[in-house]
Amino acid sequence: MQLSIVIPLLNEEESLTELYNWIVSVMQSNSYSYEIIFIDDGSTDTSWKTISNLSLQDANVKGIKFNRNYGKSQALHAGFLEVQGDVIITMDADLQDNPEEIPELYDLIQKDHFDLVSGWKKKRYDSLLSKNLPSKLFNAAARKTSGVKLHDFNCGLKAYRKEVVKNIDVYGEMHRYIPVLAKNAGFGNITEKEVKHQARKYGKTKFGMDRFINGFLDLISIWFLSKFGKRPMHLFGALGVLMFFFGFSAAAWIGVSKLYKLYHQLPNILVTENPWFFISLILMVIGTQFFLAGFLGELILRSRRDTERYLISKTTGIQ
C-alpha cells in the first residue's frame, strides 16, 4: 500500500463527507493504493455515524472511536499503530488542510528520500492576535530549543516514512513536536513544504489560548527528555554530587578553622553561629536529595511497563 491518511477529529460532522470525497478524488486521479483512517477523539455529534457509513461504502475507510476525548496526540498514536502504507499523511478534519498537497508530499518522501515533511502554512486565515502571533512566538522558541529548523511545528499536514511513525511514541501533548521526536529517534532527514491554508468552512476551532501555554511547557519537557530522559542520573546525580561536594568542603573548612583557632587560642565563635555552617548543611541535604532523585529515576526507567493511555470503544473497517 502506498498511502495511509490519518485524520484525528473531534465534532467535525459537517466536514467529514466533503473531506472524504476530496481525498478520494486525489487518490483516484493519481492511482494510489491507499487507506483513510479516521480517529474519532470522543465526538459528541454524529461524526462516528458518518465514519461508520463511509466505512460500509468504501473498504479503504477505517475508523477508531475513543470512549471520550483524550487529545490529538493519543488519536495520532492510535492511528499510527494501524497504518499499513509506505507513506503516512496526517491532516486535520476541518477542511483547512488541502488534500491536493498529498502528491507532492508523497514524492518528497518516496523520490527525494526525506524521513518527514512538515507543512508550512505561510499564509494563514486565522485571527492575528489569538493564533497567528502566538504561533510565531511559539515556533521561534521551538526552533531555538530543539534545533529543528521548521517554520510551523504545529501544522497538521505532514508526511512521514512508515518507519518514522512506527518508531516514535506520541504521547501527552507531544503531537506538536513530532519532528523533534523523529530527530531524537535518529530520523534527521526532515524538511518542510509550503502548503495552502484554507479558511474554516464549518464549526469553530477546538483550540484556545491555553494550547500555547501547554505548548511551551511541553517544549521544556521534550528538551529535558531528549537530553536526560534515558539517563536521569547524569543530570540529578551530577548536580547532587557537585552540591554535596561544596557543602562538605564548606563544613570541613569550618571544622578545620574551628580547631586551628582553638589550638592557637584565637578569638572564635560557635559553629552554629557561623552562617556558612547552615549553608554547607543545606547544600549537603539538597545534594543528597538530587542524587537520590537521579537514582530513583534510573530505577523507574528500568521497571517501567507500558500502560493503556486511552480506551477504544468502537472500530470499523479494521481487521
Side-chain angles (χ1 to χ4, degrees), residues 138 176 208-219:
F138 163 77
R176 304 176 180 91
M209 287 295 292
D210 60 324
R211 71 173 182 147
F212 295 104
I213 298 173
N214 294 336
F216 281 114
L217 294 175
D218 289 336
L219 183 59

Side-chain angles (χ1 to χ4, degrees), residues 126-174:
D126 292 321
S127 168
L128 176 64
L129 292 178
S130 66
K131 295 192 74 171
N132 285 7
L133 184 58
S135 182
K136 288 181 183 296
L137 294 173
F138 163 77
N139 284 312
R143 285 193 298 273
K144 185 70 174 177
T145 305
S146 68
V148 179
K149 305 302 180 183
L150 297 177
H151 288 88
D152 191 357
F153 281 81
N154 203 35
C155 178
L157 185 57
K158 290 183 174 69
Y160 311 82
R161 190 174 304 283
K162 183 179 182 180
E163 292 76 14
V164 175
V165 303
K166 294 297 185 181
N167 287 282
I168 60 174
D169 186 13
V170 188
Y171 59 94
E173 293 291 328
M174 293 301 179

Side-chain angles (χ1 to χ4, degrees), residues 242-258:
L242 189 63
M243 295 182 75
F244 188 90
F245 172 77
F246 281 120
F248 183 82
S249 298
W253 176 79
I254 292 171
V256 171
S257 174
K258 177 75 173 178

Side-chain angles (χ1 to χ4, degrees), residues 30 64 94 100 102 120 127 131 140 146 185 219 229 239 242 270 275:
N30 289 273
I64 298 170
D94 55 11
E100 302 290 344
I102 292 175
W120 173 22
S127 168
K131 295 192 74 171
S146 68
L219 183 59
L239 283 174
L242 189 63
L270 293 173

